[in-house]
Every structure is written in C-alpha cells, then in structure tokens.
Amino acid sequence: MNKIIDGKFYAQELNTRLKNSIEQINGKRKPKLTIIQIGDNFASNKYIKNKLNACEKVGIIGELKKYQENIKQSEIVREIEKLNKDLTVDGIIVQLPLPSHINEKEITDTISPLKDADGFTPINLGNVMLNKSNIYPATPYGIIKLLEWKKINLIGANIVIIGRSNIVGKPLANMLINKSATVTVCNTKTKDLKRICKNADVLISAAGAANLVTKDFVNDKMTIIDVGANFVDGKYCGDVKFDEVFEIVKYITPVPGGVGPMTISCLLENTFNLYSQKEN
Ligand code: GUN
C-alpha cells in the first residue's frame, strides 16, 4: 500500500478540472486574483511565485501588487478599498505575515467578503463555523479534500490538530466538527501533548515547529497531515520527523508535495467560485 498522500498529484488533477471549467467561459472576461505583498519576506516571495504560476496554468489572471516594507497602514487600506470596487478583480489576498507596524485584523476586515479568496474575513470565517459557507480558508479546505480523496473516515474519528491559528487550526477544527469528527485542538504548550496525539486516528500538525512530531506521537493506524512550512538551515521541511514515523503510520503527507500544492489549488477554486458568484 502506498502510504504517501500525494498532494502534488491530486492538486494537479483539481487544477486540470478547473482549467477545463475556465476554458468553457465563452466570450466573457477571465477570473482575476490580485495578490498584495508588503515587504520582501523570503518565504512569501516563494509562495507568491507559486500562486502566480498556478494562476497562469489554469487561466486565472494573477496580479501582484508589491509595496515597500514601510508603507502606511492607511495607504494599504485605501488600495484594498479600490480593489473592492474594481469590477475586473474577483479575488484579493494579502500575503501574510505582514510587517509589525501593519494591523493584520484591520487589513483583513477591509477585504470585501465577496472578494475574499483566502476566506479570512470575519463573515466568511463565521459562515464556515455555521456550515453555510461556499468559501473556505484554502489550507483547511485542501486538507479536507485530501482526507476525502483517500477515503479516510471522518465520522466519529478522533482527530487531533496541533495549532490554533486563525488560518488553519481554528477553521479546520470547525470544518471537521461539521463532518461529525471528534476534534481536539492542541498547541505546542499543551500538557501531555504526546499522549493526546498518540491516540488519534488523524493527527494534523500546523504548529510551524520543525521536528515536533516524533515516533512517540504516532500509532500504526494513524494518518498524519503535516502542514508545517519551516526553513531549517535553508531546507524546507514540515513539523513531522518524516523518516522516523514513516514506517509506523498508515498514511502521511510529505513536505514538500503534500498540503502546499492543495492550498494553492483551493485558492484558485475559491477565486473561480467568487468569479462565478459575481457573473451569474
Ligand atoms: N501566508 C501563509 N499562508 C498563507 C495563506 O494561505 N494566505 C495568505 N494570504 N498568506 C499566507
């Protein structure tokens, strides 16, 4: 049995389906995603490049608006307000992390929920919790798609998430609860973390801590989803000691090639859904 959950493969399949849907748009304008970047964060440069390449492959117009690190909060707010009104723009994302003088909450609140391709606005996140959204934060959405693709049972499953961020842990917990899973949300400071994780059917690590998950966290029936995106000594790695747990667990996502490509694929899907909502 192949233990690896190949997110790169499945994302390409989803992207091909999306490309076909976009090709069927006749005569009308193509969907457009605008990415706002502030400063020159090394990892953000890499992620944005991947997002723009993916846009091009499926036929979404990808636009980057890059601003100096020292730009004022009010100027960014004004730019977003302009994009909210721009009829040619369907999706807006502000790449995180932001410089420390920028108030992330105010920035997120400024994006129109109707153009919120990341699904980070309070309205869209609230609708996710209430199970009535059609826009999901891209990383949690990609994780659910991977689990469902591999036919991993979620109903009544004991799922442990390490990480309580607004963009992964919190929305993912709600999405899994809506699928009738039993969800435990931990963080790196949780007491007895290893013991709690060891009983899980599905362990999802989104802590941003390299080498956190060792063989002491896992069991032989477990599926591991590694959301970590860490750079250690210039090398990109997840939160899980992959080589140590690989032989033990049932399924595991690699880093790179697991959750990352799925996040991009779901971002594109969100952009297309926002476009379709607007055009129809
Ligand atoms: N930084 C890391 N992940 C993400 C994401 O999904 N969206 C945005 N906007 N920034 C990020």
Side-chain angles (χ1 to χ4, degrees):
M1 188 184 68
N2 190 358
K3 289 187 177 200
I4 302 261
I5 304 180
D6 188 345
K8 191 171 173 198
F9 171 84
Y10 191 46
Q12 273 166 2
E13 201 167 292
L14 296 176
N15 291 351
T16 303
R17 278 185 227 163
L18 183 61
K19 181 171 184 268
N20 292 339
S21 303
I22 292 172
E23 275 169 2
Q24 277 160 26
I25 302 172
N26 270 331
K28 280 194 260 172
R29 65 179 188 86
K30 298 287 185 200
K32 179 171 168 183
L33 173 69
T34 299
I35 303 175
I36 293 180
Q37 182 182 13
I38 306 172
D40 200 33
N41 179 288
F42 171 76
S44 294
N45 285 340
K46 178 173 175 280
Y47 299 144
I48 289 171
K49 193 169 153 219
N50 290 344
K51 287 174 186 178
L52 291 172
N53 281 342
C55 280
E56 192 178 339
K57 280 199 187 127
V58 301
I60 289 176
I61 301 166
E63 173 187 51
L64 173 62
K65 287 184 172 268
K66 191 165 177 170
Y67 299 95
Q68 298 284 337
E69 178 95 20
N70 61 0
I71 190 169
K72 284 199 194 120
Q73 170 96 12
S74 55
E75 282 178 66
I76 289 294
V77 167
R78 226 176 307 127
E79 282 305 315
I80 296 172
E81 282 167 352
K82 258 197 255 165
L83 292 170
N84 283 343
K85 289 194 200 116
D86 185 336
L87 295 177
T88 69
V89 173
D90 303 287
I92 303 167
I93 69 173
V94 178
Q95 187 67 29
L96 305 176
L98 294 170
S100 54
H101 70 282
I102 301 282
N103 177 335
E104 182 181 317
K105 188 175 173 304
E106 191 195 350
I107 296 294
T108 309
D109 283 358
T110 306
I111 297 172
S112 162
L114 300 175
K115 296 197 176 186
D116 174 21
D118 264 328
F120 292 171
T121 58
I123 293 210
N124 283 329
L125 278 177
N127 282 334
V128 165
M129 185 177 153
L130 298 171
N131 203 12
K132 59 171 202 171
S133 188
N134 61 345
I135 297 294
Y136 299 96
T139 299
Y141 195 21
I143 291 168
I144 302 242
K145 279 181 191 264
L146 281 181
L147 293 169
E148 291 185 338
W149 175 49
K150 285 289 164 189
K151 298 194 166 42
I152 290 157
N153 175 53
L154 300 178
I155 299 171
N158 181 7
I159 302 187
V160 175
I161 302 171
I162 315 176
R164 35 78 205 272
S165 69
N166 289 336
I167 69 178
V168 184
K170 284 185 213 166
L172 179 59
N174 284 286
M175 288 160 74
L176 290 167
I177 289 167
N178 288 335
K179 295 204 174 274
S180 302
T182 307
V183 183
T184 307
V185 183
C186 302
N187 60 70
T188 52
K189 298 183 185 69
T190 297
K191 272 195 231 164
D192 249 349
L193 181 61
K194 286 180 193 170
R195 184 188 54 77
I196 296 168
C197 292
K198 205 167 172 70
N199 285 326
D201 300 311
V202 180
L203 173 61
I204 303 170
S205 186
N211 300 321
L212 173 71
V213 176
T214 62
K215 61 180 177 358
D216 301 331
F217 286 60
V218 307
N219 67 59
D220 61 358
K221 296 187 180 59
M222 181 181 278
T223 297
I224 297 193
I225 305 289
D226 189 350
V227 193
N230 310 300
F231 287 92
V232 177
D233 299 331
K235 198 170 163 261
Y236 184 54
C237 64
D239 289 350
V240 179
K241 276 197 168 171
F242 185 92
D243 294 340
E244 190 174 302
V245 305
F246 179 77
E247 289 302 330
I248 307 170
V249 300
K250 188 167 175 198
Y251 288 118
I252 183 165
T253 57
V255 178
V259 174
M262 291 299 293
T263 296
I264 294 183
S265 185
C266 291
L267 172 69
L268 302 179
E269 184 180 318
N270 278 348
T271 304
F272 182 63
N273 287 345
L274 292 168
Y275 166 91
S276 304
Q277 219 166 273
K278 186 134 100 14
E279 291 296 313
N280 298 329

